[in-house]
Amino acid sequence: MLQINANMINFSDLSFIFRFLPIFLIVYYAVPYRFRSIFLSVGSLVFYAIGDIRSLGIFAAAIVVNYLLSLQCLSKNKKFLYLSVLLDAGVLMAFKLLVQFGRVSALPLGISFFTFKMISYQVDCYKGLIKKRPAFFSALAYFSLFPQVISGPIMRYDYYEKNEAISGKKEMFLLFRDRLPMYLCRIESGLFWFSLGFGMKILIADYMAMMWNEIGTIGYESISTPLAWLGAVCYSLNLYFDFWGYSLMAAGVGVALGFPFVQNFNHPYVAGSVSDFYRRWHMTLGSWFKDYVYIPFGGSKKGTKRTVLNLFIVWLLTGIWHGITPNFFIWSGSLLLMILAEKFVLSKSKGLMAVIGRINVLVLVPLTWVVFALNSFTDIANYFGRLFPFFGVGVAVNPGDFAKFTDRYGMFMIAGLVLLVPLFFEFVKENRKSPVIKILVFALFVVCACISSTKAGNPFLYFNF
Amino acid sequence: MKKLSKYLLTILVLLFYILTTADSILGKDTQYGEIEYDPQAAPVMSLTLRSLFDGNQPYLVALANNVMGTGNGTLSQNPESEAQNEDVVTADGSEQQISDGSEQTDVAEADAQQTENAEQLTEEQSVEEQPSEEAMGEQQNPAEGENPEATETQAEGEQPAENQEAPAEGEQTAESQEAPAEEAPVEEVEPEPPVYQIASVDDDYFCDALFIGDSRTVGLSEYCQELMDRSTFYAKISLTIYDFEKKSFVKLEDNSEKITIAQALEQKKFGKIYIMLGLNELGGGTPESFGEAYGNVVNRIRELQPDAQIYIQGIMHVTAAKSNKDKVFKNDRINERNQVIAQLADNQHIFYIDMNEATDDENGALTQDLSFDNIHLKAKSYALWYDYLKNHAYVIADNVATE
């Protein structure tokens, strides 16, 4: 029995880039467009099975049940809308609790993302945003879409319908040799985005992850104050480039398949306020909460009290979505407070807002990420005790640790910090058709492929003992 | 031309794919022969990429260099592989291996079964293995009598050949000498050698101490203030027993060039030399081959520093969580190796101590609370190790009275 390595679903793994993806693309473009949604469905389910065979049943069941319920929603049956939303949210919540209490070892792959897709699908059916009943395979392909199943981006059904390779809009009457340039164009674009994401993941995120792990190894009670602050930066960079990198890789694969490009991050760290930050960070999630929670509840149009309540609900749900341990509520609660303060207090003074807003983004947000990162109160207390050493000097602290870490990881951290400035990324993006840029991007790709070849799925490879 | 530029990235990636795959397939049995490769885990091109990562020329490039008469004239980046293939005849070691003259320690005879086991182990290695494999490659050099630069950067995975070789070396001691690591004792008429016993010592005992080790010892050098103030450390992440004569990383002064531990020991004298190595070697070789290499190192230290006490420290355990999940880093494998190196002790100049007593839980694994990553102690837990060292020093019996 051929044992397929689960790492094949990891976008930065060579077995995905040079095995799954090429084979998929070749078959995808070889078959007539009418069969592509079926092939996409099948391929995505295979992808899912490779990654998490044990949850395939749950995933398939969720898809089928949602499709059936959506038929009722299309008929504007409100009860069924409530039922399906409750069911989807309930399944997600149930699994989170099961994991929390140790009954299940891990969440089913992508459950946080596909349940949200399903909820949006039901609502869109009910509201008439989806007018005609989609074919089962179209819905199946949409829910299981392999470039998005692991960690998003969370797209709506209309995005799926925009795929010209599937609708066949442009290629219906063309010969293969005339369609080929179209396909190559998509693949060319896709490779561009993919390579950028690949670079972020391999050259920045993975090293920051190693660094964060080393800091944990020392023990949060034993890091020097400078290192504690460096660590907050390190984790923030790790999270950002890991997620942004993944999102670009996912978008790249999507583009190669004929989907439009999806933006999930828009340089969040140049935001002028926390509110703005979260309009630039994980944009598809923010937009989901806006369209399916905030606005249906009234948004900011029903008076101040109601606005506050609506924001509270959104951030409560955001916290839960990320995790159900207490630290996630502290995390989202702090963000809510900052957002409320910005909205109702700071907004009164433009000057104050400009300064404090930036401080919020550049100083407070990384601190909230530390809370996000640490599950136990002891760890949080220890870490903050080192960040703000007013109550003690820590235990067994090595004053040379800051120098050691900047030595080892400084280069990667600087790369990350530089990329926070939109200029560089935007320049490359605007000049993506230039041969020089393409060659540079290719060089990046090669370097990352070489590094990735040594990892064999273990992100902490370099963590030699 | 415009068309070319339009699809430039795609074309380049395609070419890259084709060329590296071809290079890997063609070089699979020669240049990349020793790289451990699992077809299910990665596409074949990873052979070339991994080799590139280590700084080697791809097979085809080296081939081209040869054909054109440029380059260093050796076809394979791996002269060792040919030499070692000659030396290694069969697993039951009927060949005579040129050894570097180091004396044999009391090592059990390796046999074909062990070689198979070792090879099996290497297949199961986790990726954390990389450094030790690299080190393995370097170990072969004395036996071959050559030490070209290229081998330092060899891609990992010389394992299979290496495993055949190492036990073969062990086999040379078929006569199973009881060779002690230094001068033969036991002439009753001579003045009796001093008797050592365990005692507790104070911090200054470590003023002339040297600590050799891997990243765990590095941790000790960063988080144990008493030792930082008094002792010397020649410790480095991923250090293995095979690096003793090979890896140049020791700096005697801030500005001096890097030298190996062996070279450093020619220049600086110590009263006590503590060694903790072995974790990074877990993925390769056998306990016996490890023990033999360790014995060679100990002998070398005895030659260089006849008056120093050598403390062989048993390899620190990993946590139960790690030991249960990992295929390589398991406590019973650590214990196997500790048993082998413990036999090197003679209680005259070479002593064996095992600090695991101070940090183990009731099941003989590193206590979970003391570690975050299951392998290293947290900063504040190094005190336990230091305490153990202070309470398990070997001093000459009549000196104990003065403690």
Side-chain angles (χ1 to χ4, degrees):
Chain A
M1 169 75 198
L2 179 66
Q3 173 84 286
I4 299 186
N5 193 344
N7 279 315
M8 208 183 267
I9 67 165
N10 181 357
F11 291 163
S12 53
D13 195 282
L14 292 184
S15 52
F16 172 79
I17 303 173
F18 292 108
R19 281 182 166 168
F20 186 89
L21 192 58
I23 296 175
F24 188 91
L25 283 173
I26 290 173
V27 180
Y28 183 78
Y29 281 120
V31 303
Y33 72 89
R34 276 183 215 86
F35 297 113
R36 284 187 192 142
S37 63
I38 298 178
F39 180 66
L40 187 51
S41 306
V42 170
S44 298
L45 288 174
V46 167
F47 183 86
Y48 195 92
I50 293 173
D52 189 358
I53 182 81
R54 284 181 298 174
S55 306
L56 185 62
I58 299 166
F59 188 44
I63 292 174
V64 170
V65 168
N66 270 282
Y67 185 74
L68 292 173
L69 289 174
S70 74
L71 301 177
Q72 292 297 326
C73 291
L74 277 167
S75 316
K76 313 285 185 223
N77 190 327
K78 205 167 200 182
K79 289 207 180 103
F80 274 88
L81 174 66
Y82 288 160
L83 174 64
S84 45
V85 170
L86 277 173
L87 199 62
D88 291 332
V91 163
L92 176 59
M93 197 62 206
F95 271 104
K96 283 187 178 282
L97 288 168
L98 285 172
V99 169
Q100 184 63 22
F101 293 110
R103 304 273 174 206
V104 163
S105 61
L107 289 174
L109 182 66
I111 191 169
S112 302
F113 296 91
F114 69 69
T115 47
F116 268 35
K117 262 181 153 170
M118 288 164 182
I119 293 175
S120 85
Y121 184 81
Q122 304 292 7
V123 175
D124 287 354
C125 279
Y126 178 82
K127 282 181 141 172
L129 287 169
I130 300 174
K131 297 182 178 61
K132 264 183 1 167
R133 176 179 69 86
F136 177 69
F137 276 106
S138 301
L140 174 58
Y142 163 66
F143 288 132
S144 63
L145 207 57
F146 79 86
Q148 298 183 350
V149 74
I150 302 176
S151 300
I154 304 174
M155 297 313 296
R156 319 292 169 76
Y157 185 74
D158 65 0
Y159 167 83
Y160 177 81
E161 289 187 317
K162 292 194 179 117
N163 185 327
E164 290 172 342
I166 293 179
S167 62
K169 264 202 180 115
K170 290 204 171 135
E171 56 187 88
M172 265 189 249
F173 306 111
L174 297 177
L175 294 170
F176 184 78
R177 69 152 195 268
D178 298 318
R179 285 182 272 142
L180 187 60
M182 223 190 309
Y183 301 162
L184 288 177
C185 226
R186 292 187 192 129
I187 292 175
E188 180 80 4
S189 280
L191 270 176
F192 172 79
W193 298 113
F194 187 90
S195 305
L196 294 184
F198 196 23
M200 287 176 189
K201 180 90 168 55
I202 299 277
L203 294 177
I204 304 177
D206 284 354
Y207 284 101
M208 292 294 99
M210 276 184 242
M211 177 173 163
W212 180 248
N213 193 53
E214 273 190 50
I215 291 177
T217 298
I218 296 173
Y220 303 121
E221 63 280 343
S222 304
I223 55 179
S224 68
T225 297
L227 183 60
W229 284 95
L230 198 68
V233 173
C234 151
Y235 185 77
S236 304
L237 291 176
N238 173 26
L239 196 58
Y240 180 36
F241 289 106
D242 195 83
F243 210 169
W244 191 16
Y246 163 85
S247 300
L248 284 173
M249 287 195 272
V253 175
V255 163
L257 294 176
F259 289 104
F261 175 80
V262 179
Q263 191 185 34
N264 217 5
F265 288 88
N266 184 19
H267 306 292
Y269 285 98
V270 298
S273 65
V274 177
S275 315
D276 193 25
F277 183 92
Y278 278 96
R279 282 190 281 268
R280 296 162 171 267
W281 174 279
H282 199 176
M283 292 158 70
T284 56
L285 182 72
S287 139
W288 191 98
F289 273 113
K290 185 185 79 177
D291 290 342
Y292 297 103
V293 178
Y294 191 63
I295 290 183
F297 275 74
S300 53
K301 306 238 189 301
K302 289 197 173 170
T304 307
K305 266 199 188 157
R306 186 56 183 261
T307 306
V308 174
L309 179 67
N310 291 340
L311 283 170
F312 173 78
I313 294 173
V314 165
W315 281 100
L316 178 66
L317 293 176
T318 301
I320 296 176
W321 185 86
H322 283 89
I324 54 178
T325 44
N327 63 309
F328 289 105
F329 297 108
I330 301 177
W331 168 74
S332 65
S334 326
L335 291 170
L336 175 65
L337 286 174
M338 283 188 262
I339 289 173
L340 290 174
E342 284 170 358
K343 216 176 166 83
F344 297 114
V345 176
L346 289 173
S347 54
K348 309 277 199 263
S349 151
K350 259 205 169 148
L352 209 56
M353 179 65 176
V355 172
I356 301 208
R358 292 268 175 188
I359 293 178
N360 281 353
V361 168
L362 295 173
V363 178
L364 294 190
V365 165
L367 291 181
T368 62
W369 288 133
V370 172
V371 175
F372 182 87
L374 302 173
N375 276 346
S376 88
F377 281 136
T378 326
D379 284 343
I380 295 178
N382 281 333
Y383 203 100
F384 275 82
R386 302 307 308 134
L387 284 169
F388 303 102
F390 305 131
F391 301 109
V393 289
V395 177
V397 176
N398 171 15
D401 57 12
F402 182 81
K404 169 179 148 172
F405 275 86
T406 45
D407 247 8
R408 232 155 108 78
Y409 294 103
M411 180 167 73
F412 306 103
M413 192 171 270
I414 288 176
L417 290 171
V418 164
L419 258 186
L420 292 183
V421 177
L423 181 68
F424 305 99
F425 182 82
E426 293 301 315
F427 176 81
V428 170
K429 180 172 144 184
E430 270 163 37
N431 294 294
R432 62 186 181 275
K433 304 275 183 227
S434 136
V436 175
I437 295 285
K438 289 188 183 197
I439 291 176
L440 288 174
V441 168
F442 172 68
L444 177 68
F445 179 87
V446 169
V447 168
C448 293
C450 289
I451 297 177
S452 177
S453 72
T454 62
K455 292 201 175 186
N458 178 357
F460 298 127
L461 169 67
Y462 303 105
F463 203 51
N464 303 328
F465 314 118
Chain B
M1 217 56 223
K2 197 164 180 206
K3 266 245 171 91
L4 185 67
S5 131
K6 205 171 175 197
Y7 308 125
L8 187 57
L9 200 49
T10 309
I11 293 171
L12 285 172
V13 169
L14 205 55
L15 280 175
F16 175 70
Y17 190 7
I18 295 172
L19 287 174
T20 53
T21 303
D23 184 272
S24 288
I25 293 176
L26 292 172
K28 198 159 186 248
D29 298 316
T30 54
Q31 181 169 333
Y32 305 131
E34 273 75 39
I35 302 181
E36 196 202 298
Y37 167 64
D38 174 11
Q40 285 177 0
V44 70
M45 64 192 292
S46 64
L47 290 175
T48 304
L49 295 184
R50 280 155 71 176
S51 182
L52 270 177
F53 179 80
D54 288 328
N56 297 327
Q57 293 175 41
Y59 171 74
L60 289 176
V61 173
L63 193 61
N65 277 336
N66 278 303
V67 167
M68 293 191 293
T70 56
N72 56 12
T74 50
L75 177 61
S76 164
Q77 282 302 104
N78 192 3
E80 264 61 35
S81 68
E82 279 140 335
Q84 89 204 12
N85 286 334
E86 285 161 2
D87 279 341
V88 178
V89 176
T90 57
D92 43 29
S94 47
E95 47 84 15
Q96 288 305 305
Q97 183 91 29
I98 315 156
S99 107
D100 58 357
S102 54
E103 290 139 69
Q104 305 308 319
T105 55
D106 187 18
V107 171
E109 219 166 317
D111 59 356
Q113 183 58 38
Q114 280 181 337
T115 315
E116 274 170 67
N117 286 344
E119 282 175 325
Q120 225 172 356
L121 286 170
T122 60
E123 250 126 47
E124 296 167 1
Q125 291 173 35
S126 72
V127 213
E128 289 135 324
E129 247 310 272
Q130 190 188 5
S132 70
E133 290 169 284
E134 215 182 323
M136 287 290 212
E138 293 167 313
Q139 187 233 0
Q140 294 160 33
N141 290 337
E144 317 302 330
E146 23 179 4
N147 190 4
E149 266 309 285
T151 61
E152 303 281 287
T153 55
Q154 221 150 58
E156 65 232 273
E158 302 204 340
Q159 235 50 37
E162 163 63 334
N163 289 331
Q164 285 175 348
E165 193 184 285
E169 278 182 329
E171 248 128 349
Q172 218 181 328
T173 65
E175 51 270 33
S176 57
Q177 300 164 335
E178 196 78 271
E182 27 47 78
E183 61 271 298
V186 205
E187 260 136 317
E188 297 85 9
V189 187
E190 299 294 324
E192 285 177 20
V195 175
Y196 283 89
Q197 65 189 62
I198 295 192
S200 296
V201 295
D202 62 17
D203 297 337
D204 285 335
Y205 176 82
F206 299 99
C207 283
D208 58 349
L210 166 68
F211 288 86
I212 297 174
D214 52 31
S215 60
R216 288 145 151 202
T217 305
V218 171
L220 192 64
S221 76
E222 291 172 340
Y223 290 102
C224 178
Q225 194 60 48
E226 298 90 332
L227 290 179
M228 282 157 78
D229 290 340
R230 293 173 181 77
S231 312
T232 310
F233 287 85
Y234 295 161
K236 187 170 161 53
I237 296 179
S238 84
L239 198 69
T240 68
I241 196 74
Y242 308 103
D243 293 329
F244 183 76
E245 313 245 20
K246 300 293 151 358
K247 207 165 221 167
S248 303
F249 70 96
V250 179
K251 277 187 175 183
L252 292 178
E253 311 282 323
D254 276 339
N255 294 326
S256 49
E257 61 173 78
K258 295 185 186 172
I259 55 178
T260 67
I261 301 180
Q263 289 167 325
L265 288 179
E266 285 166 15
Q267 299 180 47
K268 276 190 80 169
K269 292 273 168 270
F270 297 97
K272 303 106 192 162
I273 299 179
Y274 287 82
I275 310 174
M276 185 190 282
L277 289 170
L279 186 69
N280 289 306
E281 296 90 314
L282 275 179
T286 62
E288 289 69 28
S289 65
F290 169 69
E292 167 150 354
Y294 211 113
N296 293 339
V297 166
V298 168
N299 291 342
R300 187 86 183 93
I301 297 179
R302 288 285 305 132
E303 281 171 19
L304 292 169
Q305 311 241 337
D307 299 323
Q309 278 177 272
I310 300 177
Y311 283 89
I312 297 176
Q313 301 194 68
I315 306 166
M316 195 195 314
H317 288 146
V318 295
T319 61
K322 182 79 177 168
S323 190
N324 293 338
K325 270 196 338 194
D326 203 286
K327 288 185 186 144
V328 172
F329 297 94
K330 298 181 101 62
N331 286 323
D332 41 8
R333 303 188 68 233
I334 290 177
N335 290 335
E336 270 186 319
R337 293 181 181 224
N338 283 350
Q339 275 165 29
V340 170
I341 61 179
Q343 290 165 33
L344 298 173
D346 65 357
N347 286 350
Q348 290 285 311
H349 299 268
I350 307 170
F351 306 89
Y352 176 80
I353 55 176
D354 188 345
M355 50 69 67
N356 282 308
E357 284 173 35
T359 51
D360 269 356
D361 61 16
E362 26 346 307
N363 299 318
L366 180 62
T367 305
Q368 189 63 54
D369 283 342
L370 301 179
S371 174
F372 168 87
D373 69 345
N374 298 312
I375 301 208
H376 299 91
L377 290 171
K378 285 185 180 177
K380 63 183 183 184
S381 308
Y382 282 98
L384 294 170
W385 185 356
Y386 179 60
D387 249 15
Y388 178 87
L389 292 178
K390 273 180 73 168
N391 293 322
H392 292 82
Y394 279 87
V395 289
I396 295 176
D398 43 80
N399 288 348
V400 177
T402 63
E403 294 288 332

